[in-house]
Amino acid sequence: MNNQLDPNKKEKVLTGDRATGQLHLGHYVGSLQQRISLQDQYEQTILVADLQGLTDNGHNPKKVSSNILNVVADYLAVGIDPNKTTICLQSAIPALSELTMYYSNLVSVARLQRNPTVKNEIAGKSFGASIPTGFLTYPISQAADITAFKATLVPVGDDQLPMIEQTNEIVRKLNNVAGEEILVECRPLLSKVTRLPSMDGKAKMSKSMGNCIYLGSSEKEISKAVKSMYTDPNHLKIEDPGQIEGNVVFTYLDAFHPDVAYVADLKAQYQAGGLGDGTTKKILEECLQETLKPIREAREGFTSDKAQLIEILKAGSEKSKEESNQVLNDVKRAFGLDLF
Amino acid sequence: MNNQLDPNKKEKVLTGDRATGQLHLGHYVGSLQQRISLQDQYEQTILVADLQGLTDNGHNPKKVSSNILNVVADYLAVGIDPNKTTICLQSAIPALSELTMYYSNLVSVARLQRNPTVKNEIAGKSFGASIPTGFLTYPISQAADITAFKATLVPVGDDQLPMIEQTNEIVRKLNNVAGEEILVECRPLLSKVTRLPSMDGKAKMSKSMGNCIYLGSSEKEISKAVKSMYTDPNHLKIEDPGQIEGNVVFTYLDAFHPDVAYVADLKAQYQAGGLGDGTTKKILEECLQETLKPIREAREGFTSDKAQLIEILKAGSEKSKEESNQVLNDVKRAFGLDLF
């Protein structure tokens, strides 16, 4: 890494979400909690990635457009503070598309096709022979997002590490064309939390699987979801010893229950025999209801004032527009395209 | 075609050149003369395509940046009138990059790889396994250029017809997503003139081959180029019968000499025997010197006032920015991304 940072200047964090659904508990433990603490230490920008959401929803844009304000409400509800964190909308920042155009001349098609993240994602989707161009090229767009804000820290899951690598390749190529350090390399900030599984324990919690506890889920929905959770299929009677591994209830207790010692006791009791799934589910449900009640209520407040959500997103986007235009001007100068 | 045009409204023409070199006689007969007449009948926009020029010059951007004003000077020198024709710079119009992003979600990678124009161009270049992403995807960018101006007429050579087809596919897909006719289909305006060959007759005149008579070529350069022209290698003595086909001198006489009957007489004489290559070359040189002298002089005037060239390009780009932003707004609305 070659980031010569001014020690007096806060490092910049760039993060965001595809606006393709409401945010859920997986986001809460995987990224939102981290962002709440990051906003006090760093200059943080959160990008509502509507353009990236369109890369596999080009023919179904409503999935994206209908979720933009949902995502903003989710952010605010968990405590992301627009006075500390810039929340902006990707499609409202022209420099992001313009930078993508410039960078796409520095990346070969073969390099994109080799990107392990994109390769896996394509394999997991039902594109067939019709991979949308925007989907194959989205690592270039992501590099534009990161560099447009001169972000040096990018919170990611380990499956996203190849995106950081590809971004830094573009940074080096662009700086090489420019003959000076116009763009800065970034480094990943790996999430400490394991991924939350879906209720049936088979996959990670995913909005695309429709198998979620959302931040806005009702009391009833939470209750129903917890009751449906996969535990230990061999734990038939309360007095039987039960298994913790793969037991979704305990995974969630680990992620959400504030009293770690208490959860350790529960685990020991469950493994020894004598603790029923009804009891563990009741404990988990109470904990989740308590965690989500203030978030749901705050969320309802925010979603009832659409104009305010738009105002926040607009103000953040205006600020981001100015910031990213400066980087765009540097990049245009690097290519000699600064006539006027 | 489904262009419901207002008969009271002038049709729009979009045309342009990659800014990768000075324009030459091939451009003059292939497109510039046509544009001079189009500007009186249509609303014409000429795009100086610097971004497209970068798609195969990403690591050599000077080839593009150093030629932008050359191309503008060439336009003005031949009589393209900025009061009749909007001359604008691709990189100065953010909507063109933004539209490219939207459209790239509606075009599959396989479809781009099947585009015959791009396929041929890739085969003719020395990319090896490293095809720049921007080069593969430039048909999408070109569709953005055409649609951003609601152009219905696009002057092209027959090798460019697949680009028009690809553009209209995008138009139909976008209108389908929108559920209304937001974009208009375009049709090609085929050039009537055969391509001018290079001096040796082996290829078409091409700036990349360095085998050109430029609009700005000096008297001496023109003279040298004509003297080097390929004629009929079997026409050894003046009294021998000569061949017209493949004889570069006659191809140029056909393209440039104003007196068609006189050229027909020369041909008959040449074929019968008794007309030497020295004579035909002298006639051609006189004709070319006469054609190019006023253009060269006008060009010198324009290139000596760089500020004026920039002013013209800037004014045209500002106008184009407004026009294309309207289309961008329509497209964003089609995708539901018109929150603010």
Side-chain angles (χ1 to χ4, degrees), chain A residues 193-210:
Chain A
V193 186
T194 344
R195 264 182 207 88
L196 280 186
S198 55
M199 302 303 109
D200 60 8
K202 283 184 184 158
K204 69 171 181 172
M205 185 176 273
S206 157
K207 49 197 172 190
S208 61
M209 311 288 285

Side-chain angles (χ1 to χ4, degrees), chain A residues 53-335:
Chain A
L54 283 180
T55 59
D56 53 349
N57 292 293
H59 293 278
N60 179 26
K62 225 183 159 95
K63 192 174 170 190
V64 176
S65 60
S66 65
N67 279 303
I68 292 171
L69 296 183
N70 276 329
V71 169
V72 178
D74 287 328
Y75 292 156
L76 301 175
V78 298
I80 288 170
D81 178 350
N83 294 313
K84 297 178 181 173
T85 294
T86 307
I87 304 173
C88 62
L89 185 64
Q90 195 180 19
S91 69
I93 307 166
L96 302 180
S97 296
E98 295 185 74
L99 288 170
T100 302
M101 288 287 279
Y102 288 102
Y103 298 169
S104 68
N105 304 321
L106 302 177
V107 181
S108 75
V109 178
R111 176 65 183 86
L112 288 173
Q113 286 166 333
R114 277 198 312 270
N115 182 308
T117 309
V118 178
K119 227 163 136 178
N120 283 336
E121 287 173 345
I122 287 174
K125 297 200 178 260
S126 51
F127 290 142
S130 285
I131 302 160
T133 302
F135 196 86
L136 179 69
T137 61
Y138 95 76
I140 302 178
S141 158
Q142 212 159 70
D145 299 340
I146 294 169
T147 55
F149 296 100
K150 290 186 178 282
T152 49
L153 270 181
V154 183
V156 286
D158 49 11
D159 57 337
Q160 295 285 313
L161 287 175
M163 305 305 271
I164 303 290
E165 202 183 314
Q166 177 127 41
T167 296
N168 286 339
E169 265 178 47
I170 292 173
V171 167
R172 289 190 290 270
K173 283 189 177 181
L174 193 284
N175 288 343
N176 189 43
V177 167
E180 57 177 311
E181 294 263 327
I182 281 180
L183 303 179
V184 290
E185 290 191 37
C186 62
R187 55 190 200 280
L189 188 66
L190 280 164
S191 175
K192 271 169 260 163
V193 186
T194 344
R195 264 182 207 88
L196 280 186
S198 55
M199 302 303 109
D200 60 8
K202 283 184 184 158
K204 69 171 181 172
M205 185 176 273
S206 157
K207 49 197 172 190
S208 61
M209 311 288 285
N211 196 339
C212 280
I213 301 176
Y214 292 102
L215 298 181
S217 284
S218 68
E219 244 184 281
K220 244 188 205 162
E221 287 164 342
I222 296 165
S223 176
K224 197 181 152 200
V226 172
K227 285 194 177 80
S228 78
M229 275 183 181
Y230 179 85
T231 57
D232 172 2
N234 300 316
H235 184 233
L236 298 173
K237 288 187 238 152
I238 291 178
E239 53 274 25
D240 287 346
Q243 205 183 311
I244 303 294
E245 213 196 306
N247 188 316
V248 175
V249 175
F250 281 102
T251 309
Y252 276 71
L253 281 170
D254 279 337
F256 291 97
H257 205 288
D259 191 339
V260 177
Y262 175 67
V263 173
D265 282 350
L266 286 179
K267 282 181 183 172
Q269 218 184 319
Y270 191 82
Q271 283 173 313
L275 183 59
D277 288 320
T279 310
T280 56
K281 285 186 172 178
K282 206 180 148 219
I283 296 165
L284 175 62
E285 195 198 322
E286 271 173 23
C287 155
L288 290 183
Q289 296 288 11
E290 209 171 301
T291 305
L292 285 174
K293 193 180 176 213
I295 294 175
R296 181 176 54 246
E297 286 172 359
R299 199 181 181 284
E300 279 163 7
F302 289 117
T303 51
S304 70
D305 189 352
K306 202 177 147 186
Q308 188 199 14
L309 292 176
I310 292 176
E311 206 33 66
I312 288 169
L313 196 56
K314 194 179 167 185
S317 301
E318 283 302 324
K319 183 170 173 257
S320 301
K321 220 163 149 174
E322 277 176 40
E323 256 183 275
S324 57
N325 273 339
Q326 287 176 18
V327 173
L328 175 64
N329 285 341
D330 289 344
V331 168
K332 288 180 79 165
R333 190 166 36 79
F335 284 106

Side-chain angles (χ1 to χ4, degrees), chain A residues 50-51 54-62 64-65 68-69 89-94 96-98 100-102 104-110 112-113 129-137 140-141 173 176-177 306 310 313-314 317-318 332 334-337 339-340, chain B residues 50-51 54-62 64-65 68-69 89-94 96-98 100-102 104-110 112-113 129-137 140-141 173 176-177 306 310 313-314 317-318 332 334-337 339-340:
Chain A
D50 55 349
L51 292 182
L54 283 180
T55 59
D56 53 349
N57 292 293
H59 293 278
N60 179 26
K62 225 183 159 95
V64 176
S65 60
I68 292 171
L69 296 183
L89 185 64
Q90 195 180 19
S91 69
I93 307 166
L96 302 180
S97 296
E98 295 185 74
T100 302
M101 288 287 279
Y102 288 102
S104 68
N105 304 321
L106 302 177
V107 181
S108 75
V109 178
L112 288 173
Q113 286 166 333
S130 285
I131 302 160
T133 302
F135 196 86
L136 179 69
T137 61
I140 302 178
S141 158
K173 283 189 177 181
N176 189 43
V177 167
K306 202 177 147 186
I310 292 176
L313 196 56
K314 194 179 167 185
S317 301
E318 283 302 324
K332 288 180 79 165
F335 284 106
L337 301 180
L339 266 180
F340 52 87
Chain B
D50 53 351
L51 292 181
L54 283 179
T55 59
D56 53 350
N57 291 293
H59 293 278
N60 179 27
K62 228 185 157 93
V64 176
S65 60
I68 293 170
L69 295 184
L89 185 64
Q90 195 181 19
S91 69
I93 307 166
L96 302 181
S97 296
E98 297 184 74
T100 301
M101 289 288 278
Y102 288 102
S104 69
N105 303 320
L106 303 177
V107 180
S108 75
V109 178
L112 288 173
Q113 287 166 332
S130 286
I131 302 161
T133 302
F135 196 85
L136 180 68
T137 61
I140 302 178
S141 158
K173 282 189 178 181
N176 189 44
V177 167
K306 201 177 146 184
I310 292 176
L313 197 56
K314 194 178 169 187
S317 300
E318 284 304 323
K332 289 180 79 165
F335 283 106
L337 302 180
L339 267 178
F340 50 87

